[in-house]
Structures are given as C-alpha cells and as structure tokens.
Amino acid sequence: MRNSTSLMVASLVALASFMTPPAMLAAENHESNSHEEGNSHENDLRPTGRGNHTRETARAVPSGAVVSGNGINFHNGSVLHSVNLYYIWYGTWPQASKDILTHFASNIGGSPYFAINTTYGDATANVPNAVTFVASHTDTGTSTALSDANILTIVQNAIASGDLGPADPNGLYMLLTGPGVTATSGFLTQYCGWHDWGAYNGTNIQYSFVGNATGSHLTSCVAQTSSPNGDAAIDGMVSVMAHELEETATDPRGAGWYDTKGEENGDKCAWTFGTTYTAPNGSKANMTLGPAGNQRNYLIQQNWLNAGGGSCVLSYTTSPDFNATVSGAQTVAPGGTSGNYTVTASAINGFTGAISWKVTPPLGITATPSTLSGNSATFTLAATVNLSPGTYAIPITATANNGALTHTVNASLVVSAPTFSVTITPSSATVTRPASGTTTATFTVKVNPVGGFTSSVNLSVSGAGTGFTPSLGSASVAPGSSTTLKVTVSSAARRTTRTVTVFGTAGGTSHSASANVTVQ
C-alpha cells in the first residue's frame, strides 16, 4: 500500500492492447490486502489497475472462460451501486477534443455497452446501467512529465478546488492529459491508462489516469489513425476511458471482480473490438452513442460478460430485442450507377417481432426503396449529378413492436468526383497475315463521361511489335465522343494473339481499355 498525506493509495489498475501482440512486458506487483480476508479465491493474482497495456505489450485475449463459471471471480469486496464520473482536464485542451469526451461521458450510461457491467454485483446489488457525468475541473498545469505522486496531487487539488463538489465515494475522478503530457511510470511504453483508489479527507474515492497519445507513439494507444470523430488520439482515449470506467465500476477498491491472472473485466477484452462498421469518414466504428440528432460513432473495446460462461461482447440485454446492421460502404459517381445495400436484423433473447425499416437520405441522394420490411432487406443509393464528392452517412431506422423498439444504423455512401471510362468495340478481331503489303483491323474507341465529367481526355496506345502497328485517329477526345483505333499488320508480323491497350488521361485521372488482335 502507498500512502499520501491525504490520499491513501491501495492499488493501481490499467489497460491492455488492440491487436494481439506477441508478448507483454512482465512484472505486476500483486500485494495481499486486508480486503481479501475470507476470500474463496485467495490464490488469484491481485490486479494492479494497470492492465490497460499499450498495443505492443498486451496479452493475448482468451476466447472464452479461463476458469470455471464465467471466467472471472468475486473477491468479497464491493462494486459501485451508482457511478458518477468527473473529468480533470490537465494541460492544453482544444474545445473540439473536450466536446468528444464530454459527449462520451454524457451518453455511455444507459447504453447496451455499459449494460454489460450489470452482470457484476456484490452482496448488496449489481452495478446499474447508469453513469452520471457530474462536473469537470481545468488544471492548465506546469509539468509535461507527471509522476504517480504528481497525479495524486492533481486529483487532490481538483477536489479541493470545489469545482467538483464534495468528495464522492461513488465517483471516478478521471485525470485526462492534453497533448505533450506524459506519465513517467510507463505511459505509451507499458500502459495507456490506469485506475486506482484512495481516500480524501476520510471519504473513499476512485480515480484514474488516461493520457493523450498524440505524437510519434500514437499507435501505441490507438486502434486506427483515421477515427470516427476525426481525432485519432481522442478517439483512442475514449476506448481507454471505457476500459477504466468499467473496471472501476466492477472492482473499485481491489476486492471486486478479477480472474486468476489478476485481469479485470476490461483487461480480458482489451484491444478487441467485435463487429465493426464503416463510419461516414471511412474509419471503423462499432457503436453509436447519444440520442437522435446528437449521436457520435465510436470504436470502443469489448467488455467481459459475466454470464453464459463469459465472453467478450459489445452489448448486453435481458429483454427480447434485435441488433440492426447494414452492409459496407459503396462508391458511386454523381449521376452514375447505384450502390447496393442489405440491412439485417438479428434476434436477441428470443425476439420474434416484425421489423420495418426507413431509409432517410439527405438532399441529393436517392434511396430505392426508402421503406422496407423483414429481418433482411435490400435497397440502393444513388447520387444526383450535381452532388459534391464526399462520404455521406445515410440514417436507417429499424422499428418493431409498434415503435417500442427502435435502432438506427448508418449506411455509408462514398460519392466520387466526376470521372470517365474508356471502351473499345469490338473487343477482339482476327486478321490474316498478308504475303506482302499490309492489312488493317479497325476498332472504335469511346470516352464515356461519368457523373457530369466534362474535360477532354488525352489518348495513347500500347502493344506495338514487329509488323504490328496500332494507331489512333485522334490523340484527344471530348467526353461522349469517339475516335478510331487501327491496327496495321504486315507480312513481318508473328502469327499470334496480341493485346492492344488504349490509355485515357485527364488531369490526375487515368483509365484504360484493351482489345485482342489475332494474326493467323
């Protein structure tokens, strides 16, 4: 146990990694503690609170229960029966970054994801599916390298400031550092975050550290460099924060829930993300949080379900319900072909209701049809000729039980810039090699505009050989127009089949088409 003048620290708990890296840096200190007396799992290793390792140092994640039951054990302590969240902004924080993290804190409670924690309880009650974001405190700070002792002092000072109200025994005080601030005990090299507990003026509290990985070590603590909210470091912090939040709720003071290896629920699923979908900006996400009109996409690690033998999952419910999904992004040109999509509903807990779907595209995008029904249905999305290039999120609402159950997913439509294609007709020809002189095969080359393309296209041709000479009637063709391709064959040509390719280039865009000529 470590001691501070007014904040006594008993244990530390951290995060694991995204992919399944080869090995983990060793050495966690699993001390015995008086909280464990009478514990039927006294041989289980104690958690350190620092199982939230970087991607490079994470353990391989089990695919199912690692011990009897659900793969995780109760150690006769307690869980949180109400969960209150406090932010301490340390360092420099752009408002856009704060907005993302505040949205997460305001909407994680009550979600199917946080409901996983309701499978954990103690002798009194289970963890509720509720998180209250109470308040935040700003500390611009003077240090860019924080020791563990510094972190304790910052938490202490934040509570003492009065910005966060009285010390809260049901609170998690989350110290969030801005870009350029590190923690000297192993941030970015051993962990991405951790949680701990102590006491402030006689009141038990929980607190955690989560750092901003912006910089050369970004990929140590983020799953992808392109992220759903356009800020890879902040989106990466969200997953780490979820990890620390769920571990604090189920093991707030080191005698709650963890397995024989000292891994808490978040540790057991670190850097695994389950089923993902493509967010509007092309990155990967696996859940949407927030009410209609104020939703954000997130990529958050799975959590360990303490039921059914135990497993890593993204959501939990005991009532009949369904999951709604939509197939991946499609790319179309303005005024061009349509993208094909499939929506699918998967039953949860014996759900049997009829499902209706409504596709609500923005102006400039057409859905056909826009209303559907059934557990699986298909539709298309097309862009009008004047729609600007970009990636569009198309809301699809699935409704059942007369509106009692509603889920929304987003189809991703990528609208490309206007372009063109090149075609050659016919696609092949056969000529007889002459005994003397030459003979000619003639083709038509057409430039086809796609999505309102208007620029002239420069043409070139390849495939020439001895006695075999392709040539174009024009080196530049307007969209929608054609020119001739002639292949002249002399007595010197080999009897074989050769490929002639016409290349079209306009600006930085190139397309080609080919035809075969057989000399017999």
Side-chain angles (χ1 to χ4, degrees):
M1 180 180 292
R2 301 184 305 168
N3 296 306
S4 175
T5 54
S6 60
L7 192 56
M8 295 184 298
V9 181
S11 165
L12 298 161
V13 188
L15 238 208
S17 294
F18 171 48
M19 297 185 288
T20 307
M24 159 197 163
L25 294 181
E28 294 177 346
N29 179 22
H30 304 287
E31 301 179 48
S32 62
N33 187 285
S34 58
H35 288 294
E36 302 269 354
E37 292 179 4
N39 175 15
S40 61
H41 297 283
E42 66 235 9
N43 293 324
D44 290 0
L45 295 178
R46 288 292 307 282
T48 66
R50 303 195 179 208
N52 199 338
H53 298 281
T54 61
R55 290 171 58 184
E56 293 84 352
T57 61
R59 292 182 175 91
V61 177
S63 59
V66 295
V67 295
S68 61
N70 297 318
I72 195 164
N73 303 319
F74 182 53
H75 295 80
N76 297 335
S78 62
V79 300
L80 292 183
H81 301 136
S82 61
V83 183
N84 298 326
L85 185 57
Y86 301 82
Y87 281 175
I88 302 168
W89 308 104
Y90 184 87
T92 301
W93 275 95
Q95 187 59 47
S97 299
K98 295 172 72 173
D99 289 345
I100 297 169
L101 299 188
T102 299
H103 182 275
F104 165 76
S106 302
N107 294 285
I108 186 63
S111 67
Y113 176 78
F114 198 77
I116 300 166
N117 298 298
T118 66
T119 62
Y120 295 84
D122 56 24
T124 302
N126 282 25
V127 176
N129 185 15
V131 176
T132 301
F133 180 47
V134 181
S136 65
H137 167 78
T138 298
D139 184 339
T140 55
T142 58
S143 175
T144 58
L146 304 177
S147 67
D148 289 351
N150 295 149
I151 292 169
L152 297 183
T153 299
I154 293 167
V155 172
Q156 174 184 359
N157 290 342
I159 298 173
S161 74
D163 290 349
L164 306 179
D168 185 354
N170 296 307
L172 171 59
Y173 295 89
M174 200 167 266
L175 175 62
L176 309 173
T177 59
V181 179
T182 191
T184 58
S185 60
F187 177 54
L188 297 177
T189 59
Q190 299 180 49
Y191 59 75
C192 298
W194 46 262
H195 72 99
D196 203 339
W197 72 88
Y200 178 78
N201 286 346
T203 300
N204 291 335
I205 64 166
Q206 295 71 224
Y207 69 100
S208 74
F209 164 86
V210 179
N212 186 312
T214 297
S216 59
H217 293 282
L218 176 67
T219 55
S220 294
C221 289
V222 305
Q224 54 184 346
T225 55
S226 173
S227 63
N229 294 289
D231 189 327
I234 297 301
D235 274 310
M237 287 182 74
V238 169
S239 186
V240 177
M241 292 160 66
H243 178 125
E244 303 307 336
L245 178 62
E246 60 210 18
E247 290 186 343
T248 299
T250 59
D251 186 28
R253 304 188 68 77
W257 290 88
Y258 53 90
D259 68 12
T260 57
K261 296 185 295 183
E263 291 189 334
E264 297 166 298
N265 55 356
D267 298 332
K268 292 170 71 65
C269 302
W271 302 108
T272 71
F273 296 89
T275 301
T276 62
Y277 59 88
T278 302
N281 66 357
S283 65
K284 294 299 182 183
N286 60 5
M287 69 181 69
T288 301
L289 297 178
N294 185 30
Q295 294 181 325
R296 286 181 181 268
N297 295 295
Y298 294 98
L299 183 69
I300 297 178
Q301 71 153 77
Q302 297 183 106
N303 190 13
W304 188 260
L305 180 68
N306 188 21
S311 61
C312 292
V313 297
L314 282 173
S315 63
Y316 176 70
T317 181
T318 57
S319 303
D321 202 344
F322 65 93
N323 281 328
T325 59
V326 63
S327 53
Q330 299 289 301
T331 300
V332 301
T337 58
S338 301
N340 299 311
Y341 297 83
T342 300
V343 287
T344 304
S346 304
I348 301 173
N349 297 324
F351 174 83
T352 58
I355 298 173
S356 60
W357 307 80
K358 183 173 179 58
V359 186
T360 311
L363 187 67
I365 297 176
T366 303
T368 308
S370 60
T371 58
L372 312 97
S373 62
N375 291 336
S376 182
T378 60
F379 66 97
T380 64
L381 293 174
T384 59
V385 67
N386 294 320
L387 188 65
S388 299
T391 301
Y392 294 83
I394 316 301
I396 306 164
T397 302
T399 305
N401 296 356
N402 295 319
L405 292 175
T406 300
H407 298 289
T408 300
V409 292
N410 291 321
S412 183
L413 181 69
V414 180
V415 179
S416 63
T419 187
F420 66 92
S421 66
V422 178
T423 57
I424 301 177
T425 54
S427 60
S428 63
T430 301
V431 297
T432 300
R433 187 180 67 181
S436 61
T438 61
T439 188
T440 302
T442 302
F443 302 83
T444 299
V445 177
K446 185 175 182 180
V447 174
N448 309 288
V450 178
F453 185 82
T454 58
S455 301
S456 293
V457 177
N458 297 321
L459 301 179
S460 59
V461 62
S462 68
T466 302
F468 187 94
T469 306
S471 61
L472 292 164
S474 176
S476 180
V477 175
S481 300
S482 302
T483 189
T484 58
L485 166 66
K486 292 186 176 181
V487 179
T488 302
V489 177
S490 72
S491 58
R494 294 176 53 200
R495 288 188 172 95
T496 188
T497 298
R498 301 180 66 96
T499 299
V500 178
T501 301
V502 175
F503 298 91
T505 303
T509 303
S510 296
H511 296 285
S512 64
S514 297
N516 292 326
V517 178
T518 300
V519 180
Q520 61 181 18

